[in-house]
Structure formats: structure tokens, C-alpha cells
Amino acid sequence: MIDIHTHILPACDDGADNLSTSITEIRKMINAGVTDIVLTPHFIRNVYNNHTDVIESKFNYLQNEVEKQKIPVTLYKGAEVYLDENIFEDIESENFNINNSDYILVETNLSGFPKNLLEILYKLVKNNYKPILAHPERYPDIIQNPTLAEDLIYRNVYFQINAGSLIGLYGKRVSKTAWKLLSRGHVHFLASDTHCNNDEYLLPLAYKVIKKNLGKDFAKLLCVINPDKLLKNKNIQLF
Ligand SMILES: [Fe+2]
């Protein structure tokens, strides 16, 4: 499995607080069958100022330790970029794209989409970015109106749901929305969004429940095939 959304880079956001926590989480993930991990620390202007140079130096620090301990895993750079009004300038001047591909992981306000969200997304798509919206099932705008999800996909936005959402980690409404999106085929990636907080690593469990309810091929598509295409910057079908 390939996990494309994690907060494992040490001491730069609300994820791993130090190098030893990062390594513990990576070992946990390998034992669960993960081979490749994308490191996606938050970039939230004035909250988590993880500019490209910060990500680069933290990444090298972690990568060195992984090599030193001979841990069999491949790490990739990325970020989880918080979309606000002025974010486009930051995205253009930094390099937040996952593994230097066209794909970029984005999030926005969990209490309500900003008014100009469609404009921001359009600007990204128009400039050849491929935005992946993290955990769409957690946004009230989509919970209340799941057809909005289809509308966003028509606008070339990819969706990544969280493993925890399927098992009720964020409550019943989020879980229901995640399953609804899945059953309609409106999901492109499944990832953990792990924050290294000692909880169980949920990707294998979510993989299992998708396999049981929607089939092995679909589970593999979301956890292996599409993430692999992303890392190779190949095109992924929206529908
Ligand atoms: Fe996240």
C-alpha cells in the first residue's frame, strides 16, 4: 500500500513531535503493509509556515535516519496546503507538489468552504495543477449536499478520503458521507492522514472494509494503483 497523506515529518505541524515518534509510526506502517509514504505536513499561512525549504530540511533529516536504521520504505515529499484567498501566490512560489508531479494535496476550512473556493480550484486547474481535496467527507458543504462532490470532480478535482472516516473516527455523518462517495465512485484515493498520536494505524482496516463491501479491485485502485500513478505523474481518470 501507498499512503499519500501523513503528518510524520518531525516537529513541523500537529503530527509527529520528534524524530523518534516519526520512526515509530513508519515502523508501524511497514508492519501494516505500507511500502511508500508521502509526507504531507500542513502549510497554513501564519499557523504552520512549512515553506519548501523547511520541508526539504526536515525531509532530509528523516530520510537520513531511515537509511541509517535500514528501514525498508520509500519516502516522498509533499504538503497539505490550506486553501485561502491568497494561496495561489504561495503555491506558485513554493513547491508543494507531491514528488514533483502535477498533483497537489489541498484542504480548506472544516467549518465551511470559503466563498471563492471554486475560483481558487479553477485557478489551480487552469495552471496545470491537479488538486486532490483531502477528506471531502469531513466538510459540512459536502455532507449536506453530496452532489457538490460530483460537481467538484467535473471541475477536475480529485478526492482523497481518510481511512478513519470509514470506521467512524469522525462521527456518523462523516462516515455516512464517506461511504456514499465511495459507492458512487467519487473517490480516487484512500489515505491515513495519520498524526502519529499513538492510535491504531487505520489504513489496513479501511482497506479491508472497502474490499469486503465494494470489492478487492476498488480497494487496490484507491490504495495502490492510483497512488502509484500519482507518484509517476501519470494521468488518473476522474470518473
Ligand atoms: Fe492532514
Side-chain angles (χ1 to χ4, degrees), residues 135-149:
H135 41 69
E137 72 281 6
R138 295 186 63 195
Y139 296 103
D141 300 73
I142 289 182
I143 293 174
Q144 284 149 23
N145 179 16
T147 49
L148 177 60

Side-chain angles (χ1 to χ4, degrees), residues 39-230:
L39 302 150
T40 53
H42 289 288
F43 178 85
I44 307 178
R45 201 183 245 261
N46 300 325
V47 181
Y48 297 120
N49 289 311
N50 287 315
H51 294 276
T52 307
D53 56 338
V54 176
I55 296 175
E56 182 92 33
S57 87
K58 297 267 177 187
F59 180 88
N60 292 338
Y61 178 50
L62 180 60
Q63 177 73 49
N64 279 342
E65 190 60 25
V66 162
E67 281 168 22
K68 208 168 98 188
Q69 297 194 24
K70 296 190 170 60
I71 302 175
V73 70
T74 311
L75 305 178
Y76 303 88
K77 265 176 286 197
E80 181 179 17
V81 183
Y82 186 91
L83 298 181
D84 61 22
E85 279 170 31
N86 303 313
I87 196 64
F88 188 74
E89 286 66 36
D90 286 328
I91 289 176
E92 281 283 87
S93 61
E94 306 278 340
N95 179 9
F96 293 132
N97 294 28
I98 294 177
N99 196 30
N100 295 314
S101 68
D102 298 330
Y103 295 92
I104 182 167
L105 184 69
V106 299
E107 64 172 337
T108 190
N109 193 337
L110 277 170
S111 43
F113 281 164
K115 278 191 189 120
N116 64 340
L117 180 69
L118 293 182
E119 284 162 51
I120 303 169
L121 289 167
Y122 178 62
K123 208 168 173 181
L124 287 174
V125 172
K126 205 173 71 174
N127 285 278
N128 298 321
Y129 291 95
K130 292 179 173 170
I132 303 170
L133 183 64
H135 41 69
E137 72 281 6
R138 295 186 63 195
Y139 296 103
D141 300 73
I142 289 182
I143 293 174
Q144 284 149 23
N145 179 16
T147 49
L148 177 60
E150 192 171 5
D151 182 34
L152 286 173
I153 299 173
Y154 271 117
R155 292 168 191 267
N156 292 5
V157 177
Y158 291 89
F159 280 0
Q160 172 264 306
I161 58 165
N162 279 6
S165 298
L166 297 176
I167 2 229
L169 192 69
Y170 311 97
K172 272 188 190 159
R173 296 177 78 206
V174 170
S175 164
K176 216 174 136 189
T177 307
W179 281 107
K180 199 177 278 175
L181 292 174
L182 272 178
S183 63
R184 291 176 178 179
H186 292 160
V187 179
H188 309 91
F189 306 96
L190 173 73
S192 71
D193 194 9
T194 175
H195 281 68
C196 307
N197 48 9
N198 287 326
D199 292 339
E200 189 189 349
Y201 178 66
L202 292 172
L203 197 59
L205 185 55
Y207 187 95
K208 226 161 111 184
V209 289
I210 294 179
K211 192 174 147 187
K212 190 177 161 220
N213 290 288
L214 300 163
K216 191 181 164 192
D217 290 347
F218 197 36
K220 201 175 166 193
L221 181 75
L222 303 181
C223 291
V224 182
I225 295 172
N226 283 347
D228 183 58
K229 283 185 177 171
L230 180 165

